[in-house]
Amino acid sequence: MTNNKKGGTAALIKIAYRNIWRNKRRTLFCFSAVGIAVLFIVVYSSMIEGMIKSINDTVQIYELGHIKAVSSQYEAEIEFMPVQYPLADGKSWKEIARDIYKIPGVNAVLPRITTMATLQESTIKHAVLWGLDIEKETAVNNFNMTNRTDGLQEGRWPLDANECVIGSVFAQKAGLSIGDRVPLKTISSNFSERFWSPVITGIFHFDYIKIDEQYIIVDIERLQRLLVLDEATQSLVIFTDDEKQSRNIAAAVKNLLGEDSVVTDWRDNYWVAIMEVASFAYVIVFLVFIIVASFLIINTVVMIIHERIKEIGMMGCLGMTRGEIVKVFFFESIFMAAIGALAGAVIGGIFAAIGSIYPLRIGDLYGNTFSDMPMSNVIFFQFSPFILIRGWLMGVVVASLFTLIPSLKSAFVEPVEALRR
């Protein structure tokens, strides 16, 4: 008797597996329904994870690093990019950086200055001057996230004080090339007008439309002199060894700089926070797709029970309990869900793998409609076993749970009544 019970479930599984092939056409329809839903989940999960990574990388590389420190006055007027409110009341950024480097986990401390400029002899009337420590920046960051390079398309980075590089879109719209000058005017920290005409030594292409069409990159020391900032900086961008530890390090930086500073963790960025919330919403959408696909299996199980009513009666007469009969039909649903979900996960994984090598060019598809969003013009799909396993499990678990109720219907079939039909 004990041996019978031990082998009972295995026997029921074999019966269920054989039964799913009794009507191959109907079984294939069930496979397709769940498979397409799982395919959708895997592909869109990979794309959404790619979007999130693109936004995170863009925020970190171009805007905040892992941590950004500015003065509280600057933060209050940030949309105007004021230069009259340097960090730490104009203290040398190198002195501040030395103290920050003493905090465990800090990898790099980079000064940055961003200010508006008016162009005097150009079809483009306004641009953004971006002062960087170019050697340190290119050592830490791959500005072109598509090709994983420093982003310099042609020419060289500025070496002399009166040199600059401009974005590829900017150069095209303004009709400028290497060797041309860019006459411009900006406002210094003491509110005086400053005129400058740097020579273009290079053209960069970061594949990020906002930077490529608006920014002029110059050496930060030259910009400090132009804006009468001495060795002060508008902001410090800090990169850590582990981005997950950035909040703790940000707190330490805040303690170091005092109350007159604003220290921002990269995860506090609006778009990063939005995408984190949206990730949960996408899971709900995926569940809806699986539930809709499950209705085909539900209908199939109901039809199977109706068609096999006499067979159910025979099972009962041969000694099978109600629970064992339910298990047979439930195992059939699990098989249909598992095999269909596996096919969807495999095919979806192939698409995701291709998308991780050949990116989707959002800018080309939508004409840079998303230029306000901090996201590169291309999206690499994120291919990972976790996404495939999650998609497969969602397909199997949700479809199986939803077919449990129609499977229970077989338990209420009376053997004697079933055999009379």
Side-chain angles (χ1 to χ4, degrees), residues 1 3 26 33 43 47 61 83 87 118 157 172 186 216 234 268 280 300 302 307 311 341 348 364 368 379 381 416:
M1 190 70 175
N3 290 338
R26 186 163 56 201
V43 171
M47 187 181 77
I61 292 172
V83 295
L87 182 65
T118 302
W157 293 106
Q172 183 180 10
T186 189
I216 300 172
Q234 187 186 63
D268 294 331
F280 177 75
T300 301
V302 172
E307 290 174 0
E311 186 178 320
D364 293 345
N368 298 311
I379 294 176
F381 284 39
V416 177

Side-chain angles (χ1 to χ4, degrees), residues 64 67-70 87 93-94 96-97 100 109-112 233-238 257:
L64 301 180
I67 302 162
K68 184 177 182 180
V70 298
L87 182 65
W93 76 266
K94 293 179 182 178
I96 303 171
I100 294 175
V109 182
L110 306 174
R112 291 183 180 178
T233 185
Q234 187 186 63
S235 65
L236 283 178
V237 171
I238 302 161
L257 296 176

Side-chain angles (χ1 to χ4, degrees), residues 113 129 131-132 158-164 194-198 218-230:
I113 299 173
L129 281 177
L132 304 176
L159 298 175
D160 184 78
N162 290 313
E163 296 177 342
C164 71
R194 310 293 287 185
F195 295 89
W196 189 31
S197 186
V218 299
D219 179 72
I220 191 167
E221 291 186 357
R222 179 65 182 97
L223 193 56
Q224 284 172 325
R225 291 196 297 273
L226 184 72
L227 300 175
V228 197
L229 282 171
D230 297 323

Side-chain angles (χ1 to χ4, degrees), residues 148-172:
R148 307 291 192 269
T149 66
D150 64 2
L152 195 62
Q153 193 174 45
E154 55 180 300
R156 61 172 175 81
W157 293 106
L159 298 175
D160 184 78
N162 290 313
E163 296 177 342
C164 71
V165 293
I166 63 174
S168 55
V169 180
F170 183 102
Q172 183 180 10

Side-chain angles (χ1 to χ4, degrees), residues 2-138:
T2 307
N3 290 338
N4 248 353
K5 289 294 179 186
K6 284 185 178 177
T9 301
L12 296 177
I13 291 173
K14 288 180 182 179
I15 293 170
Y17 181 75
R18 286 198 300 266
N19 283 346
I20 66 172
W21 302 109
R22 289 169 66 172
N23 190 324
K24 294 181 181 179
R25 180 180 298 177
R26 186 163 56 201
T27 298
L28 289 175
F29 276 128
C30 291
F31 287 171
S32 300
V34 178
I36 290 171
V38 173
L39 168 66
F40 171 88
I41 289 172
V42 170
V43 171
Y44 272 82
S45 292
S46 301
M47 187 181 77
I48 290 163
E49 291 293 329
M51 286 178 62
I52 292 172
K53 187 176 188 308
S54 178
I55 289 173
N56 292 349
D57 288 347
T58 302
V59 167
Q60 291 175 3
I61 292 172
Y62 300 113
E63 297 185 18
L64 301 180
H66 294 145
I67 302 162
K68 184 177 182 180
V70 298
S71 69
S72 55
Q73 298 98 325
Y74 173 82
E75 183 69 17
E77 301 180 25
I78 191 170
E79 65 270 20
F80 303 112
M81 301 180 188
V83 295
Q84 66 268 28
Y85 305 123
L87 182 65
D89 291 326
K91 186 177 178 181
S92 169
W93 76 266
K94 293 179 182 178
E95 292 181 26
I96 303 171
R98 277 195 292 270
D99 292 333
I100 294 175
Y101 272 118
K102 295 176 184 177
I103 300 172
V106 171
N107 179 268
V109 182
L110 306 174
R112 291 183 180 178
I113 299 173
T114 309
T115 188
M116 295 298 299
T118 302
L119 306 185
Q120 297 180 313
E121 298 175 10
S122 172
T123 53
I124 297 176
K125 298 305 178 185
H126 301 283
V128 177
L129 281 177
W130 200 20
L132 304 176
D133 186 330
I134 296 171
E135 184 178 352
K136 290 183 178 179
E137 287 278 359
T138 52

